[in-house]
Amino acid sequence: EITRSEQALKKLLDAPLTPERESGLRAACQGKGDLFESIKPWGNLIRTDSMGRYQVYLEGSRYVSDSSERRGTGTHYTPRLVAVCRFLSAKVVEAWNEAEAILRNEVEGARLVCNEAGELQIAFDPNHPDRRSVETSLGTLEVADPKRSEPLPTDEEERLAVARSMVVDRCLYGVDINPMATEMAKLSLWLITMRKDKPFHFLDHALKCGDSLVGVTLDELKAFSLDKDSKQGGSVLLPWIPEAVERVKNLREQIRRWPGNTALGVENRRMLHARAEEDEVALRVAADLLLTDAFKKATNTAERKQIAMAREARLWMLQERPDREKASQLGSILGRPTFHFDLEFADVFAEGGFDAIVGNPPFVGGKKITTSMGVPFRDYIVERVASGKAGSSDLCAYFFLRAVGITK
């Protein structure tokens, strides 16, 4: 599409090439003088790519173009996760530097170290008197076990590498509806935390795939009801659900305690995650089946009776915890992606939720939500995310509401 006027194009064609543009075009022609001479009359019209290189392509070379696919897969936004990691790690290093300056003035012979869990502790020379803790203006710092801790690097770049590793290990969680975006996020974080003496972080428990707007709480799941005033006792009807929830909570707490920067820690995290998944697969199916009511609206007595009968059938199907095969069969009933934050990130919500949310939600005009995603989805987010307040808000507004609901 031509966006410039005929007069503007003529002016560019008549103008001589600047030295910088001529040099760039010659570089793009890779020393082929005849090629440069052939494109020179059009030199002021040749665009640059995202890397600032002139778009001159030799015969047989590969041409890479921008497209909406990168945005559609979510990989367009992966750099934001990397930027968050870099920002937080820089703040961590600043805090370390300030803490060390304070320690030098308050505690003779002390230095900061990190234990296996990534916690900051204090260390002394071997000939220093034994002490279990030290009172400082920073608070009470435990004295580290030399066998289970390592000193903070003195080199600034190495410090940043340790800080990035710690941030990825302990601070970052993510959800995307596209599986490719989730895998790209893992790869991006592995690349910026890569250290020759350390394994890649295990991230399957922290970066997951699903629809952030569609899900239930653990209280709703354990009661097996979306009605807050319901008298229905899910814990009595489906006793395996609260038992499985407690196992998942316990296992995720164990995952969190193991360090993610050692081979043993990574392997244990992998093993504990696999054990948690055995219960989470079943719980996800139960939660998804519970949500089927939220996507149906009864307009008459017959439809209400039909919904009630379907609910009873689901209860019957879930009398026993479904194994993976049965879960796979039942998982297709709802027919849409979900994400149950309280369940998937049980360790985070045991502490009240997230401290902050960073994201780039999709923008879909309020009137277009029904057209592109269907009436049931529109009714669902109005009722479940916006507490029944209908309007013509953009889809991104519902993501902001969800973010508020999952932060402390």
Side-chain angles (χ1 to χ4, degrees):
E1 182 182 354
I2 299 175
T3 57
R4 292 177 177 174
S5 66
E6 182 179 344
Q7 184 178 359
L9 290 171
K10 188 176 184 306
K11 186 176 180 180
L12 286 171
L13 289 169
D14 291 341
L17 298 178
T18 64
E20 293 81 6
R21 179 172 283 266
E22 181 173 335
S23 176
L25 287 169
R26 286 186 182 277
C29 293
Q30 299 181 21
K32 298 183 181 297
D34 56 340
L35 176 60
F36 172 74
E37 291 301 326
S38 68
I39 67 170
K40 185 177 179 180
W42 318 97
N44 283 323
L45 299 181
I46 296 175
R47 296 178 297 179
T48 57
D49 62 18
S50 59
M51 303 293 288
R53 297 169 299 201
Y54 287 98
Q55 292 184 296
V56 178
Y57 300 97
L58 275 61
E59 185 177 357
S61 63
R62 182 174 296 171
Y63 171 69
V64 181
S65 173
D66 289 335
S67 77
S68 61
E69 184 176 355
R70 184 165 173 253
R71 184 182 297 269
T73 60
T75 55
H76 182 85
Y77 305 115
T78 299
R80 298 178 188 278
L81 187 64
V82 174
V84 170
C85 179
R86 292 186 187 279
F87 173 81
L88 291 177
S89 57
K91 293 298 181 183
V92 168
V93 171
E94 285 180 20
W96 286 346
N97 294 340
E98 291 174 7
E100 283 184 325
I102 292 171
L103 280 181
R104 280 195 294 270
N105 293 328
E106 295 185 6
V107 186
E108 185 179 352
R111 65 182 186 279
L112 287 180
V113 298
C114 259
N115 66 12
E116 290 178 335
E119 297 166 334
L120 212 57
Q121 294 184 323
I122 196 169
F124 294 96
D125 296 330
N127 58 355
H128 197 279
D130 287 341
R131 301 167 75 175
R132 291 190 175 182
S133 62
V134 176
E135 293 294 333
T136 73
S137 57
L138 299 169
T140 302
L141 293 179
E142 293 185 8
V143 176
D145 178 353
K147 297 178 181 178
R148 306 187 66 180
S149 61
E150 59 181 86
L152 293 175
T154 55
D155 180 79
E156 198 72 11
E157 284 302 315
E158 290 183 17
R159 280 202 169 199
L160 275 171
V162 172
R164 283 196 293 266
S165 178
M166 189 181 298
V167 167
V168 169
D169 194 40
R170 300 172 65 82
C171 303
L172 299 183
Y173 294 79
V175 186
D176 198 285
I177 198 168
N178 191 301
M180 179 63 74
T182 305
E183 295 306 311
M184 286 295 293
K186 292 176 188 176
L187 178 59
S188 298
L189 293 179
W190 283 334
L191 290 174
I192 66 166
T193 58
M194 187 165 51
R195 296 166 67 191
K196 64 181 180 180
D197 58 334
K198 300 291 183 182
F200 286 131
H201 287 271
F202 179 74
L203 298 173
D204 289 1
H205 69 295
L207 299 179
K208 298 194 173 189
C209 184
D211 188 338
S212 300
L213 294 181
V214 182
V216 303
T217 67
L218 283 185
D219 288 340
E220 290 171 333
L221 179 58
K222 287 190 283 189
F224 205 72
S225 174
L226 301 180
D227 183 359
K228 295 179 181 178
D229 302 320
S230 174
K231 304 294 184 186
Q232 184 174 339
S235 59
V236 176
L237 296 172
L238 303 172
W240 67 267
I241 288 182
E243 293 170 3
V245 166
E246 290 307 311
R247 284 195 297 270
V248 168
K249 284 183 177 180
N250 180 265
L251 288 166
R252 286 196 62 90
E253 283 297 330
Q254 291 183 55
I255 290 172
R256 202 172 187 178
R257 287 197 291 268
W258 275 99
N261 63 346
T262 66
L264 179 62
V266 168
E267 187 55 37
N268 276 296
R269 282 188 169 194
R270 195 186 313 278
M271 177 189 69
L272 291 166
H273 178 69
R275 287 172 56 190
E277 274 291 297
E278 290 298 319
D279 279 313
E280 287 180 352
V281 165
L283 289 169
R284 284 187 202 111
V285 168
D288 288 357
L289 289 177
L290 175 59
L291 273 176
T292 54
D293 284 349
F295 286 92
K296 294 178 182 178
K297 273 194 173 182
T299 57
N300 55 54
T301 302
E303 289 180 355
R304 283 192 287 272
K305 185 177 180 180
Q306 187 177 19
I307 290 174
M309 291 175 61
R311 186 183 300 118
E312 291 299 320
R314 291 194 295 275
L315 278 170
W316 179 81
M317 288 187 286
L318 293 171
Q319 284 302 300
E320 294 182 357
R321 193 194 80 163
D323 57 22
R324 282 186 176 270
E325 183 179 352
K326 187 176 180 181
S328 179
Q329 296 170 355
L330 297 176
S332 61
I333 292 178
L334 179 61
R336 65 173 62 245
T338 60
F339 195 81
H340 314 288
F341 276 95
D342 293 27
L343 170 64
E344 304 287 356
F345 298 143
D347 52 320
V348 175
F349 286 89
E351 298 180 357
F354 292 101
D355 293 300
I357 304 291
V358 177
N360 196 324
F363 291 81
V364 178
K367 295 180 180 179
K368 296 179 181 178
I369 296 175
T370 300
T371 304
S372 59
M373 300 178 181
V375 173
F377 179 82
R378 162 74 176 175
D379 291 344
Y380 172 88
I381 58 175
V382 167
E383 185 63 33
R384 297 272 299 166
V385 182
S387 302
K389 297 175 183 177
S392 57
S393 299
D394 194 285
L395 182 62
C396 72
Y398 294 95
F399 280 90
F400 279 105
L401 289 173
R402 172 66 79 198
V404 170
I406 59 177
T407 50
K408 293 178 181 177

